[in-house]
Amino acid sequence: GPLVDDESLIEVLGVTKITSEEVKHKLVTAAETEVKINSAREEFRPVATRGSILYFLIVEMSYVNAMYQTSIRQFLALFDDSMEKSDKSPITSKRISNIIDYLTYEVWKYQVRGLYEEHKFLYTLLLTLKICLQSNRIKPNEFMTFIKGGAALDLKAVAPKPKNNWISDMTWLNLVELSKIPQFSEILSQVSRNEKAWSSGTTAMLQKRETFLTVIRTHLISSREPF
C-alpha cells in the first residue's frame, strides 16, 4: 500500500527526527563546552609555562652533575600537589598566581635538598634568570652577556684597556661585551676617564661580594626554610 499508510515506517521516521534533533542539540552543547574548556586552558597556560621552566631546569642540572636526576613522575606529583594545596580563589587570575607561587617554591625547595651546597646558589640564580627571561624582564642578549661575558673576545681585537694594571684582561673583555648593550654603551669611556674612582670602587665591590656570598652560603646551610 502507500507509504503514508505504513504506520511502522512513520513511527521510525518520527523517532529518527527526534534523535536528529537531540544529536544537533548535543553537538551544539559540545561545541560550547569545547570553547569553555579552551578558554579555561588558555587562562591556565601560565601555570603550564612555569611548570615547563621548572622541569627543564631540573633536567639541565644533570649537566652540572650526573647525580642530579629527577623523573617526570616525581615532578608531576609536585605539580598535582600544587594544584590541590595552593590557596583557592574565585578570581581566576589570583588562583593562577597562587598556583604558580606555590609550585615554584615547592619545586625549588624539593630540588635544593638534593644539590651540593656549591650548586644551590647556581640553581637559584638560573631559576630566577629563566623566569625573568620568560616574562621579558630580561632580554636574551642581556642574559647571554651575563652568562658568557667577554669570554669569546680577543683582547688584541678590542679597544685597549687602561694602562694601569688595576683591571684584569678578563674584566676588561667583560666590559667590552657589556658595552654592546645600549644602557652601557659609554661604560668603556667612563672607565678610562675615571680610572681612580673605578679602581677604588672595584676593590670595595669585590670585598662586598665576598661578604654577600658568605652570608648566602651561611643562610642556605642553616635555614630549614630558605628564602
Side-chain angles (χ1 to χ4, degrees):
L3 292 178
V4 293
D5 294 334
D6 191 336
E7 294 181 2
S8 62
L9 177 60
I10 293 174
E11 184 178 344
V12 170
L13 290 174
V15 172
T16 301
K17 182 179 179 182
I18 294 173
T19 303
S20 176
E21 292 297 326
E22 290 177 350
V23 170
K24 287 181 181 179
H25 177 71
K26 290 180 179 178
L27 287 174
V28 171
T29 301
E32 293 174 350
T33 302
E34 183 179 6
V35 170
K36 292 179 181 179
I37 292 174
N38 289 338
S39 177
R41 183 172 58 190
E42 287 304 315
E43 282 187 310
F44 279 84
R45 186 174 293 276
V47 177
T49 300
R50 177 59 59 87
S52 68
I53 291 173
L54 294 169
Y55 176 71
F56 285 110
L57 178 57
I58 291 175
V59 172
E60 289 169 3
M61 287 301 293
S62 65
Y63 299 139
V64 177
N65 190 304
M67 292 177 60
Y68 299 152
Q69 301 287 338
T70 301
S71 70
I72 185 66
R73 181 174 297 179
Q74 289 172 301
F75 179 81
L76 288 177
L78 293 172
F79 190 93
D80 292 342
D81 280 347
S82 300
M83 296 289 289
E84 181 178 345
K85 296 178 181 178
S86 56
D87 293 338
K88 307 298 187 292
S89 175
I91 304 172
T92 303
S93 60
K94 180 62 177 176
R95 172 66 174 144
I96 291 171
S97 178
N98 291 343
I99 296 173
I100 288 175
D101 290 345
Y102 190 97
L103 173 65
T104 303
Y105 179 68
E106 287 301 309
V107 171
W108 175 85
K109 186 170 63 173
Y110 177 86
Q111 183 66 8
V112 295
R113 286 174 180 168
L115 300 179
Y116 290 121
E117 291 299 326
E118 63 193 81
H119 296 148
K120 290 182 178 181
F121 185 75
L122 171 65
Y123 172 75
T124 303
L125 176 62
L126 288 174
L127 178 58
T128 303
L129 289 172
K130 284 181 175 290
I131 290 173
C132 289
L133 268 172
Q134 187 274 325
S135 61
N136 292 320
R137 282 180 282 180
I138 294 179
K139 297 178 182 178
N141 64 319
E142 295 171 343
F143 174 77
M144 294 308 299
T145 297
F146 179 77
I147 295 297
K148 296 172 60 177
L153 299 178
D154 182 354
L155 188 63
K156 298 178 180 179
V158 301
K161 71 174 189 177
K163 295 180 180 179
N164 296 329
N165 292 323
W166 64 270
I167 187 169
S168 68
D169 292 348
M170 193 66 251
T171 299
W172 182 251
L173 291 176
N174 289 338
L175 287 174
V176 171
E177 188 65 24
L178 182 63
S179 69
K180 297 177 182 179
I181 297 176
Q183 298 92 319
F184 299 96
S185 60
E186 299 296 323
I187 193 167
L188 296 182
S189 60
Q190 291 176 359
V191 170
S192 298
R193 291 196 306 265
N194 303 281
E195 287 189 45
K196 185 176 181 180
W198 278 87
S199 176
S200 59
T202 300
T203 301
M205 181 184 65
L206 289 175
Q207 293 173 345
K208 290 180 179 179
R209 174 180 177 275
E210 289 304 317
T211 302
F212 172 75
L213 291 177
T214 300
V215 171
I216 290 295
R217 293 189 190 101
T218 303
H219 182 74
L220 287 173
I221 293 171
S222 63
S223 177
R224 292 184 179 180
E225 297 291 340
F227 296 95

